[in-house]
Amino acid sequence: MREILPVLERWYAARVPFGLATVVTVSRSAPREPGAAMAVGPDDEVVGSVSGGCVEGAVFDLAQEVAAGGEARVATFGYSDEDAFAVGLTCGGEISVLVRPVTEESDPTFGAVAASVAAGDPVTVATVVDGPAPRGATLAVWPHTVAGTLGASGLDVAVTADARGELALGATGLRHYGAHGERREDAVTVFLHSFAPPPRMLVFGAIDYAAAVARIGAFLGYRVTVCDARPVFATPKRFPEGVEVVVDWPHRYLHATDTDERTVICVLTHDPKFDVPLLDEALRRPAAYIGAMGSRRTHHDRLERLIDAGLSEDELARLRSPVGLDLGARTPEEVAVSVAAEIVALRWGGTGAPLTATAGAIHATGSA
């Protein structure tokens, strides 16, 4: 979608209706991921792809129909064992595609979304795929604002909260709700398409605890990098598939790495020669979370060293040490759960208390 937005923005600004097809689900060896898109505009101009060529002809016909005034539709394509030459995916996978018309009337938020994507500002677009809500209706969700509607205020509130969660992780996928946003029902299917890269988790110290933290970080949707200056420990085979492993001095690597307000930094080196210069660098730069492992004695010693390095009280107050919530964790996996719980609680303003000891709404709804 991101690649074809400049063309779509031009059509939209010219008030030319177009049909937009978006992959909303995939299975097995489907050639494109959810969010892949193709559009048909004026003079049957086509941009983008939903399948790499397998079913483009059929999707083109559907997009033509909706651009000419037809209603939004969902089509599913898969391989046909009976007739390999039928319209379908020769790779053996299956995709579902939402095809909807885009005009100023049908999608008044499209221009603002396109502008945000062009500017690199994060935004999630929620679109009704199926159920007792207007198919193709859209709700655009930014970190602090919302535009559009899915047809019911309760649904808008629930989707807004979930969209912000997906946006924080740069995630895209389907969610299911009741007609008025009930979370334990599945009458309405909504596609959440986030235009933001996954946040980074930087784990320093290639120890057993780092492998567990990296695993749960990847599970939560982070792009995880593990860094250690010791090549005997910093080997890819010790960490989950997809985790980047870097051999470098931690403070030097961090100094050369961009971070932002979503970045998580976990310092598990537990050695002053590594963690003091690393934290000196980390606490002076943007990050959502900076945690350091160690006992309370180690923490107090580390604070003294960081004060001597010239860090201010405000900078030191950002440090979460000893790292994690008090879960009584012992094993590396339990400690990783403790760290992940603290990261999630800090992101969303959770207390870390048992829900049985709290009152009021469980899920913060955000502003709608």
Side-chain angles (χ1 to χ4, degrees):
M1 174 72 85
R2 191 184 299 272
E3 290 75 16
I4 68 175
L5 267 176
V7 175
L8 306 189
E9 191 174 18
R10 187 177 72 246
W11 291 346
Y12 188 82
R15 299 186 176 182
V16 176
F18 58 90
L20 177 61
T22 305
V23 176
V24 293
T25 61
V26 302
S27 66
R28 300 191 299 278
S29 56
R32 301 298 302 273
E33 294 298 315
M38 184 181 91
V40 177
D43 301 320
D44 292 337
E45 181 180 354
V46 180
V47 291
S49 171
V50 293
S51 70
C54 300
V55 299
E56 312 297 63
V59 175
F60 172 84
D61 291 340
L62 291 175
Q64 268 189 321
E65 291 178 18
V66 301
E71 296 182 349
R73 296 178 57 183
V74 176
T76 299
F77 302 94
Y79 182 75
S80 170
D81 292 327
E82 291 77 21
D83 181 2
F85 294 99
V87 173
L89 299 179
T90 56
C91 60
E94 183 176 283
I95 63 173
S96 291
V97 181
L98 170 66
V99 188
R100 65 184 180 92
V102 179
T103 64
E104 280 192 333
E105 293 73 26
S106 66
D107 190 351
T109 69
F110 188 88
V113 169
S116 291
V117 174
D121 297 330
V123 59
T124 293
V125 179
T127 308
V128 174
V129 175
D130 203 3
R135 177 178 285 163
T138 59
L139 179 74
V141 181
W142 291 267
H144 304 292
T145 59
V146 179
T149 180
L150 302 182
S153 60
L155 182 60
D156 289 346
V157 169
V159 171
T160 295
D162 289 347
R164 289 197 171 123
E166 299 294 87
L167 187 58
L169 295 173
T172 287
L174 292 178
R175 289 293 187 98
H176 302 276
Y177 307 88
H180 300 284
E182 299 89 345
R183 293 181 179 277
R184 289 181 292 177
E185 299 182 19
D186 59 2
V188 181
T189 302
V190 178
F191 181 62
L192 302 180
H193 190 177
S194 296
F195 292 90
R200 299 198 66 183
M201 172 182 280
L202 307 177
V203 181
F204 295 96
I207 60 177
D208 288 345
Y209 291 94
V213 169
R215 189 176 300 110
I216 201 166
F219 174 75
L220 290 175
Y222 288 92
R223 181 164 66 93
V224 182
T225 298
V226 176
C227 175
D228 197 304
R230 302 164 296 181
V232 67
F233 295 114
T235 61
K237 67 181 181 181
R238 298 185 65 231
F239 295 93
E241 184 178 356
V243 170
E244 179 186 28
V245 180
V246 174
V247 179
D248 199 353
W249 279 82
H251 72 281
R252 183 169 62 189
Y253 174 77
L254 183 58
H255 181 74
T257 301
D258 291 332
T259 63
D260 59 25
E261 288 73 12
R262 301 185 301 153
T263 303
V264 165
I265 299 174
C266 297
V267 179
L268 311 181
T269 45
H270 206 253
D271 186 330
K273 72 174 178 289
F274 291 123
D275 59 19
V276 171
L278 172 59
L279 288 169
D280 187 18
E281 173 71 31
L283 293 168
R284 301 180 192 272
R285 57 166 54 229
Y289 175 91
I290 303 170
M293 177 175 281
S295 66
R296 297 195 189 281
R297 178 183 297 177
T298 298
H299 170 65
H300 289 305
D301 175 70
R302 193 160 44 207
L303 280 182
E304 292 298 324
R305 294 172 185 266
L306 291 171
I307 290 170
D308 290 343
L311 273 83
S312 69
E313 289 187 10
D314 287 344
E315 289 168 335
L316 291 173
R318 300 177 62 205
L319 178 60
R320 317 289 289 196
S321 175
V323 70
L325 296 185
D326 180 13
L327 304 182
R330 294 291 186 271
T331 68
E333 290 74 20
E334 290 174 346
V335 170
V337 171
S338 168
V339 173
E342 185 175 41
I343 291 169
V344 172
L346 186 63
R347 179 197 296 158
W348 300 115
T351 65
L355 288 173
T356 54
T358 65
I362 294 175
H363 301 283
T365 59
S367 59

